[in-house]
Structures are given as structure tokens and as C-alpha cells.
Amino acid sequence: MMPVMDTIRTLRVAVSGIPRGCQTARPDGNWLSPVQRTQIESVSSRIELIEHPADRIGAPVGSEVLLAEGGNRTHYPGELDWDDYLRFFMPSLRWVQLCSTGFSDNITPQVLDGSVTLTNAPGIHTIPIAESVLAAMLDHAKRLRERRIHQQSRDWQALHTGELHGRTVLIIGLGRIGGRVAQLARAFGMRVIGVRRTTAAANEADEVIGPPALRARLPEADYVVMTAPLTPETERMLGAAELAAMKPSAYFVNVGRGSTVDEDALARAMATRQIAGAYLDAFADEPLPPAHPFWALDNVLLVPHDSHSSPHITDRMVALFCDNLRRYVGGEPLLHVCDRTRGY
């Protein structure tokens, strides 16, 4: 249980780092709208809300709560870098709410010893990422890239296109994003095979299998979608042998983590047309180096890790944070406490 907040003590809440997918960042490096500030401040009259632009942290005033994006050793523009993230870890800090799901880089000694609680934000990117996956599958089935090329050259040419209906999609990682992809795929009449550690039946999938059965079932899939987090168990989960098991007409979509796939083996598979193509939104090294072979492959669609972009991201983030903030003020258990032993 969190301690019930003192009714006269100021609760200082710091906000720093622009959430990934945010479309409303301000020129001053902050992102809360007046309405969103009011939402947070209305949780308690004792809240003092302070925004810190991620690129101008300086010496932050000691806060009890931090709403943060970033804190990673490799970070995107607008996010906290590792050193600035650590600046907030003063003796007054009790809770860090992340604006992301992944948190492997956010573990500090204070998180490890339990003096600071770390929570993440699963679900805020689920809808846009799942829609991006379906868009990638439809783009491939309907050959939309070729349509655009023909339009640019004024080439009136009919194409033989496919359907999603009746096809099989194998989803690696049947969490929030994978589950949403499964729901949308079934709405199109697709057969869904889900892959996760627990093989209990899931309403959104026709079948659930464990990782040991993955390679044997890959030949059935017309589409393979990676949504799994990066853990020791999922690192390079798809390697040369798994890619070789896929049918030549299969299409691969990665909206999870780049290192869940052997990228060298994937590049070779794409170059030799061992599989039909891929939509890649996550890479082991980001930004993708200019010399990487993926850039030159015409059967690969590269997305700069922004399939989650949405005008609703910050509204969802603030709603989630306010829910947890009410719990914190009331001394109730927080939601989405990070399990550092599982990595998600």
C-alpha cells in the first residue's frame, strides 16, 4: 500500500520528456495542454505541477512524482536522456510513471531497492499500432505500392491482388497489441494463431501455442506479426531457421523490438526473396544506419519506429496517469508496476 498523502503537504509532480507518438508538443519542449494540466491538478488541491523540457533540465527541484518519457541510454529527440533522467532521483522521489511500455533502461538503484516505484503505460499505443499492422497487411495484399508506381508513370495496368479473408496470421506476443491485432484480423475473416508463454485459450485467437511450437507452425502463416517485448527469451527469436520455415509468399511485420529478429538473416531472406516482404517498424539500431541493407530492398517497407503515432496518445497518457495519481494520493496500490524480473 502507498502511504496516504498528508492533507497539508505539497505534492510536487514533475513532467519531462515528450511522449512517443505525441502530435501536440509545444515549442518550449513541453506537451501538456491547459485541459490536461487541469486534469492532473484536479486530482488534489495539494499538487504542484512543474514541467521540465527534456533538453533543458538543469537542476530540477526535488519532486515526489515524475511523469517521464525517455530515460534511456539511446533516446529520441524530445525524450529524457539517461543522465537527465537520473537528475530527478533525489531523496524526495517516490514514484516514476513512464509514458512507454518498455522500461529496461529505466531501472536505477532506487527502483531496485524499492525506494522508488516504477510504473509503465501499457495500452496507450495499442490502437494505432494495431491499425498500422492491418494497414501493412492490406498494403501487401492489395499491392498498393505498385499502384502508386503505376500512377506516377501514368501506366494503366491491372494487377492480380489478394484478400486477407481466409488467410492465416501468426502473432508472436498476444498481449495488448497482439490481442488487438488478432481482433482486427478476425474481423477480416482471418485465421489467427497466437504465440505466447501461456497456451491457455484466448477469445481473440483461433489457437494459442507456446514458443517451442513456433518453428513447426510457421509454414502455415501467410502473415507473421512480431509484437513481443524484448526479453532474454525473445532475443533473436526469429532467426535463419525460422525464416526458412516460412512459406515464400509469407509477409513479415515487426512492430515489437528489432532485436527479436536476426536482422542479418532477415536482410538475406528479403534480398533472395526467400519470403515475400516485410513491414519493419523496429530495429536493433535506431535510427537505422544509412548503410544498412534494408534501405535498398524494394520488398521492405521501413517505418522509423512511429507506427504508434496518434493525435490521442497524450489524452490516453494523462487519463492513465491521473488514474494512478488518484491511487497514489489515496494510498491505494498503483497500476502497471514494472516487474523487473520479467522485463515487461
Side-chain angles (χ1 to χ4, degrees), residues 197-322:
R197 294 194 308 172
T198 59
T199 57
N203 291 334
E204 60 269 26
D206 294 286
E207 185 179 357
V208 180
I209 63 173
L214 173 62
R215 191 182 300 178
R217 302 300 298 276
L218 279 169
E220 301 174 38
D222 299 291
Y223 295 90
V224 176
V225 179
M226 174 66 77
T227 67
L230 179 61
T231 68
E233 292 75 25
T234 64
E235 187 170 7
R236 295 199 170 196
M237 190 177 190
L238 281 184
E242 286 73 25
L243 292 165
M246 294 165 63
K247 61 176 70 174
S249 59
Y251 191 80
F252 175 58
V253 179
N254 189 1
V255 290
R257 291 291 182 267
S259 295
T260 58
V261 184
D262 181 337
E263 290 186 338
D264 291 338
L266 180 60
R268 291 192 295 270
M270 294 293 99
T272 60
R273 296 303 202 266
Q274 182 178 327
I275 61 176
Y279 171 102
L280 304 178
D281 178 62
F283 308 90
D285 295 318
E286 297 180 0
L288 189 67
H292 199 287
F294 283 153
W295 287 108
L297 296 172
D298 62 5
N299 57 344
V300 174
L301 178 57
L302 299 178
V303 179
H305 207 147
D306 68 351
S307 288
H308 53 265
S309 180
S310 166
H312 305 297
I313 291 298
T314 58
D315 286 338
R316 293 181 182 127
M317 185 64 244
V318 170
L320 182 152
F321 178 56
C322 286

Side-chain angles (χ1 to χ4, degrees), residues 115-193:
S115 60
V116 173
T117 300
L118 184 68
T119 59
N120 62 352
I124 68 168
H125 299 118
T126 295
I127 291 174
I129 292 179
E131 289 182 357
S132 293
V133 171
L134 265 293
M137 293 162 62
L138 284 166
D139 178 82
H140 171 68
K142 301 305 179 183
R143 301 173 68 178
L144 298 182
R145 177 183 292 189
E146 292 168 83
R147 298 286 196 197
R148 294 186 180 93
I149 293 172
H150 293 164
Q151 179 178 338
Q152 291 169 2
S153 61
R154 292 173 169 77
D155 184 1
W156 186 271
Q157 183 178 152
L159 295 176
H160 296 297
T161 63
E163 296 181 349
L164 296 187
H165 181 86
R167 298 294 187 178
T168 295
V169 57
L170 186 148
I171 303 171
I172 304 172
L174 206 60
R176 286 178 173 82
I177 293 172
R180 180 66 176 175
V181 171
Q183 291 173 354
L184 296 178
R186 292 188 76 180
F188 276 83
M190 301 184 76
R191 172 176 172 245
V192 177
I193 302 173

